[in-house]
Amino acid sequence: MNHKQDESKKRILEAAKVCFANNGYDGTSVRQICEAADANLALVSYYFGSKENLYYTVIESLYLNNGHKLDKHEDIADPEEALRSFVDIFINLRKQDKQFNMILRHELSTDSPRKQVISRIISPYFSYLKKILINGRENGVFHYESLDLVLMFIASILVYPAYDSFLIESSQALEKDSSLEIRHTADFILAGLKFKQ
């Protein structure tokens, strides 16, 4: 592939990422992507074969760019510290790559056949979170009845932040300083996990 073709392919991928994040898979057309990329419509078929393959290429590239940030196989010596680290990495990932989070939210909010691909990408993260939670309960640090409910609550907190909502006007401090959000989110989750009835 020559330099000009490589640039066209990159522009298409970047435009697709933005379009899929803003409109979801079903709300995005190949024409929209090509207009945003200033590329010929036929190039999507040439490079990717189909809109669906382009979508999967976008998802895979988002994962490859961000998936290395969490060592999902490390041993858990301190479940509280491991949870804080998990929250830190996930929130920073969400802030650094807003399109990844938006695409994830679109897919999780629909009954999509593409959920399997998204699940394959994020399940190692949530398997690691599950490992942290089980370790914490076994060591008497965390207290909960339903692991599935706890996982769902934590995923909701991390994937659907309140300040993205039109219901709540957020301060600019949250956007500028992620350390405050990370600390408060981790504290909030840990307070619930440590609560004994």
Side-chain angles (χ1 to χ4, degrees):
M1 189 179 301
N2 66 37
H3 179 69
K4 188 175 177 180
Q5 288 175 320
D6 194 43
E7 285 301 313
S8 294
K9 187 174 182 180
K10 283 181 184 175
R11 282 197 327 271
I12 291 169
L13 275 170
E14 191 56 37
K17 179 175 141 180
V18 172
C19 289
F20 288 136
N22 291 337
N23 307 317
Y25 179 84
D26 293 327
T28 298
S29 70
V30 173
R31 184 173 302 284
Q32 287 172 312
I33 293 167
C34 289
E35 285 174 7
D38 192 27
N40 186 307
L41 203 60
L43 290 178
V44 169
S45 293
Y46 177 73
Y47 292 131
F48 306 100
S50 68
K51 172 183 158 183
E52 188 173 39
N53 287 342
L54 171 58
Y55 182 79
Y56 292 143
T57 302
V58 167
I59 296 297
E60 292 292 332
S61 70
L62 289 168
Y63 175 69
L64 291 173
N65 290 339
N66 298 299
H68 64 281
K69 295 178 181 169
L70 180 67
D71 182 359
K72 298 165 284 293
H73 303 292
E74 72 179 32
D75 289 331
I76 300 164
D78 180 349
E80 185 174 335
E81 191 53 44
L83 184 66
R84 286 188 182 281
S85 178
F86 182 88
V87 169
D88 183 313
I89 290 165
F90 206 94
I91 289 176
N92 277 313
L93 170 65
R94 187 185 72 214
K95 287 182 170 283
Q96 290 167 8
D97 201 334
K98 292 182 190 237
Q99 282 93 11
F100 180 73
N101 193 57
M102 291 302 296
I103 289 171
L104 181 62
R105 286 163 62 171
H106 277 292
E107 290 300 323
L108 293 176
S109 65
T110 61
D111 189 23
S112 160
R114 296 167 302 280
K115 266 189 184 173
Q116 290 178 337
V117 172
I118 298 289
S119 177
R120 181 174 49 82
I121 290 169
I122 65 168
S123 66
Y125 290 95
F126 286 94
S127 292
Y128 181 64
L129 175 58
K130 188 176 187 177
K131 186 175 163 183
I132 294 169
L133 294 170
I134 291 169
N135 179 294
R137 183 166 63 181
E138 288 173 352
N139 289 296
V141 179
F142 301 155
H143 310 283
Y144 56 86
E145 289 181 38
S146 169
L147 179 60
D148 290 340
L149 281 174
V150 170
L151 283 166
M152 185 176 62
F153 293 150
I154 293 172
S156 296
I157 290 167
L158 295 176
V159 175
Y160 296 95
Y163 65 81
D164 276 355
S165 170
F166 67 93
L167 299 173
I168 300 170
E169 191 174 321
S170 82
S171 77
Q172 294 297 322
L174 280 179
E175 285 297 316
K176 291 179 183 172
D177 182 14
S178 61
S179 64
L180 178 68
E181 180 183 358
I182 290 165
R183 186 168 37 86
H184 281 269
T185 302
D187 288 347
F188 182 79
I189 292 168
L190 286 165
L193 288 170
K194 291 179 170 185
F195 179 76
K196 281 186 179 180
Q197 290 186 349

